């Protein structure tokens, strides 16, 4: 019979149209934070970053991390253990001269195995695992947007792929593979404005929630027998007290710390000031020291992977600006830096 | 046939004995047996014996024995090339000779022999300059002829080849490693001032700790 068939097919068509309409209605237009209607819970950029940051502080893991760019590739073995507020991390360089770096709270020891030197550094107040998001998280959404662009599997773990897109040309973009359950960053790509990958850092092998003991790693950190110890002093200081200021602030970047390092020969004048700025994701360090014609002979820009460095003379001073930012940002810093005294 | 078979077996046996003798594996009794048989019996054995020694020398890399064949080839090649050389110098003459024949209409200066001579000399010198330029122009006018002779044999040698200096991946990535800069980069990295410090914070420092080789 004809009529029921037609009615049925019409019903089916109607049903399809309705469901399509429902699907369209349900897709949420991007909010100002740039989230999408993904099957996974919608997250703002702050939420993504908080998850990633917490995972790196609160989870124990062991793995092999590889950093590569057009020009180079290097890898390291990492151990991270934590207990309550205490965190300890050990990084053994697998490429280049062998060195082991231990970081525990505000205490850092680097064992240079080829020269048998143990460099001990204590960082006042800044700490090595600061909760940076608290200080700068308000401005991150102004300068970056986050969007989940897919799923992938890295080092045996399922991950969400999140694109962090910069809103201006003073910073780079990032593609982050965040492990689905914990949020730990297992792969990170730094992207130039044209989408080119400047640097890629990823775990090639990872054991999450590994049974690492904080006390064991701490013990290893203290074993300086057979090494000549060098203690590096870094003092927290104030840029204004040092006589430096930024005439025009660079969009998004806030001053986060300023330290003074004594020089190797112990003479105070030769010490170096490191003034660090950050926009939450990228950081720029301005290293300022007195100009010395013998040592400071090569001004210019150098690129290593995603990190740019700019060295130039500023009257009696030598400035080296370093950061994972485009060269124009470093130039902006160099131009804005002003001597007060 | 049986005799042939026996003879063949005998030859094989002697061949094996020879091989063992060459390897120094001949036993006392076998050695006595070998020495008992007259040497002239097998002309082939003498050739085989010589062959074993050649093989041994080649394996041990003894030069005099090996060099004969390749050097002979090179000499023969050089002779062939020398045979070919005389062709090139003939070109200027060929072109100069062709000039008077080429035009049907009489050139204006044809009647005056002096001008014909000048035209001929001019064309020869023009061709000589061209060929000299082609051959690399190093030796000067006097050296044109030898250069032409050399050119067909080794055209690459006469041209100056500039080896471009290859830079890895682009200008800004020339690794003129400055240990002080490495130090600064490491200090920058260990700052841990961003949300993306992750393992990457310290890890990126490992990239710089290892100098570019």
């Amino acid at each position: 019979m004809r009529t029921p068939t037609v009615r049925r097919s019409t019903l089916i068509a109607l049903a399809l149209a309705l469901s399509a309409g429902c699907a369209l209605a349900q897709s949420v237009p991007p909010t100002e934070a740039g989230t999408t209607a993904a099957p996974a819970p919608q997250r703002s950029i702050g939420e993504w970053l908080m998850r990633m940051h917490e995972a790196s502080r609160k989870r124990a893991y062991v793995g092999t991390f590889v950093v590569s760019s057009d020009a180079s590739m290097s890898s390291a073995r990492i151990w991270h253990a934590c207990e309550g507020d205490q965190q300890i991390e050990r990084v053994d360089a697998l490429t280049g001269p062998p060195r082991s770096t231990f970081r525990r709270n505000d205490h850092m020891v680097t064992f240079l195995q080829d020269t048998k030197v143990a460099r001990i550094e204590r960082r006042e107040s800044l700490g090595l695992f600061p909760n940076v998001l608290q200080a700068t998280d308000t401005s991150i959404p102004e300068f970056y947007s986050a969007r989940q662009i897919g799923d992938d599997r890295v080092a045996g773990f399922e991950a969400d792929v999140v694109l962090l897109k910069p809103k201006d040309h003073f910073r780079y973009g990032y593609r982050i593979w965040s492990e689905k359950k914990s949020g730990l960053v297992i792969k990170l790509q730094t992207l130039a404005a044209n989408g080119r990958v400047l640097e890629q850092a990823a775990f090639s092998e990872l054991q999450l929630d590994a049974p690492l003991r904080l006390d064991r790693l701490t013990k290893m950190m203290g074993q300086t027998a057979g090494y000549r110890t060098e203690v590096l002093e870094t003092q927290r200081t104030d840029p204004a007290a040092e006589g430096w200021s930024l005439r025009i602030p660079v969009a998004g970047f806030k001053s986060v710390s300023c330290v003074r390092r004594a020089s190797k020969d112990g003479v105070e004048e030769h010490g170096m000031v490191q003034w660090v700025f950050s926009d939450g994701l990228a950081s720029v360090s301005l290293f300022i020291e007195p100009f010395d014609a013998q040592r400071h002979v090569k001004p210019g820009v150098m690129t290593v992977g995603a990190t740019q460095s700019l060295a130039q003379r500023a009257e009696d001073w030598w400035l080296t600006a370093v950061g994972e930012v485009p060269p124009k940002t470093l130039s902006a810093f160099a131009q804005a830096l002003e001597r007060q005294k | 046939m049986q005799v042939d078979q026996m003879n063949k077996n005998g030859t094989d046996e002697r061949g094996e004995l020879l091989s063992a003798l060459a390897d120094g594996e001949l036993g006392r009794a076998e050695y006595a047996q070998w020495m008992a048989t007259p040497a002239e019996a097998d002309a082939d054995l003498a050739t085989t014996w010589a062959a074993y020694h050649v093989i041994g020398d080649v394996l041990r890399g003894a030069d005099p024995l090996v060099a004969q064949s390749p050097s002979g080839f090179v000499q023969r090649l050089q002779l062939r090339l020398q045979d070919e050389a005389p062709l090139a110098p003939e070109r200027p003459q060929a072109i100069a000779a062709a000039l008077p024949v080429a035009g049907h209409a009489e050139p204006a200066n044809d009647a005056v022999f002096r001008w014909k001579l000048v035209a001929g000399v001019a064309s020869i010198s023009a061709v000589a300059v061209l060929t000299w330029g082609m051959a690399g122009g190093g030796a000067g006018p006097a050296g044109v002829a030898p250069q032409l002779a050399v050119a067909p044999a080794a055209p690459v040698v006469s041209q100056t080849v500039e080896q471009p200096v290859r830079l890895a991946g682009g200008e800004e990535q020339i690794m003129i490693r400055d240990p002080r800069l490495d130090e600064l980069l490491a200090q920058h990295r260990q700052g841990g001032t961003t949300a993306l410090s992750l393992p990457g914070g310290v890890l990126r420092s490992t990239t710089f700790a290892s100098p570019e080789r």
Side-chain angles (χ1 to χ4, degrees):
Chain A
M1 291 209 293
R2 229 182 116 90
T3 327
T5 317
V6 171
R7 224 183 290 142
R8 200 179 302 138
S9 63
T10 322
L11 278 174
I12 291 168
L14 271 174
L16 280 171
L18 273 172
S19 58
C22 285
L24 277 171
Q26 265 173 19
S27 72
V28 180
T31 66
E32 55 183 52
T35 56
T36 57
Q42 297 171 23
R43 290 193 184 108
S44 68
I45 184 168
E47 282 164 0
W48 278 114
L49 292 174
M50 189 60 86
R51 264 186 102 227
M52 293 167 193
H53 194 62
E54 285 298 294
S56 73
R57 297 173 67 213
K58 298 272 164 71
R59 308 292 282 245
Y61 50 84
V62 188
T64 307
F65 207 77
V66 181
V67 181
S68 65
S69 66
D70 280 343
S72 72
M73 191 193 96
S74 72
S75 62
R77 188 121 184 99
I78 307 183
W79 292 259
H80 179 263
C82 46
E83 227 169 86
D85 268 347
Q86 308 252 346
Q87 286 188 68
I88 188 165
E89 186 179 83
R90 173 184 170 177
V91 179
D92 278 2
L94 296 172
T95 307
R99 62 164 71 178
S100 280
T101 309
F102 288 84
R103 304 199 305 173
R104 191 201 159 143
N105 301 333
D106 63 345
H107 196 190
M108 190 161 101
V109 182
T110 307
F111 291 91
L112 304 168
Q113 274 128 21
D114 45 357
T115 53
K116 289 292 183 209
V117 173
R119 224 178 260 163
I120 301 170
E121 198 174 333
R122 183 157 242 123
R123 287 157 168 257
E124 275 187 21
S125 66
L126 176 62
L128 290 162
F129 300 94
N131 212 343
V132 284
L133 283 176
Q134 245 116 72
T136 53
D137 61 348
T138 48
S139 65
I140 297 176
E142 271 178 61
F143 297 97
Y144 295 93
S145 64
R147 185 165 64 94
Q148 180 170 2
I149 53 175
D151 300 316
D152 198 5
R153 189 163 169 270
V154 173
F157 290 89
E158 293 291 336
D160 298 316
V161 187
V162 182
L163 176 70
L164 293 178
K165 213 172 142 121
K167 290 184 181 171
D168 65 11
H169 290 288
F170 282 103
R171 56 212 91 237
Y172 287 136
Y174 303 92
R175 221 178 267 141
I176 305 181
W177 279 251
S178 169
E179 198 269 320
K180 275 192 192 288
K181 292 203 217 60
S182 63
L184 183 70
V185 175
I186 47 183
K187 181 162 154 177
L188 168 71
Q189 284 178 344
T190 307
L191 310 169
N194 58 5
R196 186 168 80 91
V197 177
L198 297 165
E199 188 181 79
Q200 176 167 283
F203 277 106
S204 64
E205 173 261 316
L206 174 67
Q207 193 189 349
L208 201 54
D209 296 323
L212 290 175
R213 299 253 309 269
L214 191 92
D215 52 352
R216 276 176 112 196
L217 281 169
T218 312
K219 204 165 151 202
M220 278 189 238
M221 193 172 169
Q223 282 162 349
T224 55
Y227 285 83
R228 179 170 61 86
T229 52
E230 261 178 29
V231 180
L232 262 75
E233 291 289 339
T234 54
Q235 278 175 293
R236 184 151 193 170
T237 179
D238 179 42
E242 293 290 333
W244 296 102
S245 72
L246 222 57
R247 198 173 54 237
I248 317 156
V250 180
F253 288 91
K254 296 199 182 86
S255 165
V256 286
S257 88
C258 187
V259 294
R260 171 171 267 283
R261 285 194 164 78
S263 69
K264 290 266 162 69
D265 56 11
V267 179
E268 192 61 35
E269 287 99 62
H270 292 172
M272 173 138 44
V273 171
Q274 179 187 4
W275 193 2
V276 185
F277 293 82
S278 169
D279 69 358
L281 296 183
S283 66
V284 173
S285 289
L286 299 178
F287 293 95
I288 309 159
E289 55 189 325
F291 178 71
D292 179 351
Q294 284 172 349
R295 285 183 298 141
H296 301 138
V297 287
K298 245 188 318 189
V301 179
M302 255 200 42
T303 305
V304 185
T307 308
Q308 309 285 338
S309 71
L310 165 68
Q312 67 182 48
R313 183 175 174 181
E315 285 164 35
D316 294 328
W317 306 90
W318 184 260
L319 166 70
T320 313
V322 177
E324 298 70 55
V325 288
K328 70 194 292 186
T329 314
L330 293 180
S331 301
F333 272 105
Q335 276 163 20
L337 188 67
E338 200 175 42
R339 181 81 186 148
Q340 295 277 285
K341 280 190 204 156
Chain B
M1 204 150 67
Q2 215 174 13
V3 174
D4 288 335
Q5 198 83 38
M6 269 170 60
N7 279 344
K8 193 172 167 221
N9 285 343
T11 317
D12 288 340
E13 207 192 301
R14 284 191 64 75
E16 277 175 36
L17 282 176
L18 181 69
S19 169
L21 179 64
D23 291 334
E25 286 169 3
L26 215 56
R28 249 195 137 86
E30 289 159 320
Y31 184 68
Q33 181 193 349
W34 172 264
M35 294 310 282
T37 322
E40 310 87 58
D42 290 301
D44 295 331
L45 286 180
T47 322
T48 315
W49 182 252
Y52 283 151
H53 281 281
V54 169
I55 290 166
D57 287 340
V58 166
L59 290 174
R60 282 184 290 273
D63 294 316
L65 215 53
V66 176
Q68 278 170 14
S69 194
S71 63
F73 170 74
V74 169
Q75 278 156 15
R76 276 181 274 125
L77 177 65
Q78 282 175 349
L79 285 168
R80 287 287 302 278
L81 290 171
Q82 279 167 23
D83 288 339
E84 281 178 30
L87 289 171
E90 284 177 12
R91 264 197 286 142
Q93 288 102 8
I95 291 171
L99 279 174
V101 183
H104 289 292
E106 270 193 19
N109 58 1
D110 198 41
V112 184
F113 180 69
R114 192 190 331 138
W115 291 114
K116 254 199 246 181
L117 195 62
V118 168
V121 167
S123 57
I124 291 169
S125 55
V127 174
V129 165
L130 283 171
T131 50
W132 173 36
M134 235 180 52
V144 170
Q147 274 195 339
L148 289 174
V150 169
V156 182
V157 175
S158 54
Q159 289 162 21
T160 43
V161 176
E162 198 87 19
Q163 269 293 356
V165 176
R166 296 283 176 97
L167 305 174
E171 188 84 42
E172 63 273 8
Q173 286 173 7
I174 304 171
M175 287 296 136
I176 310 167
R177 275 318 210 173
D178 179 1
R180 286 201 69 252
L181 182 60
D182 285 352
E183 195 58 49
L184 296 183
L185 290 171
Q187 285 167 10
H188 166 74
R189 283 299 172 197
Q190 285 150 13
T193 49
T194 73
L196 291 180
S197 309
L198 41 128
V202 175
L203 297 190
R204 280 152 153 185
S205 71
T206 64
T207 318
F208 310 129
S210 44
E212 215 63 23
R213 292 202 202 275

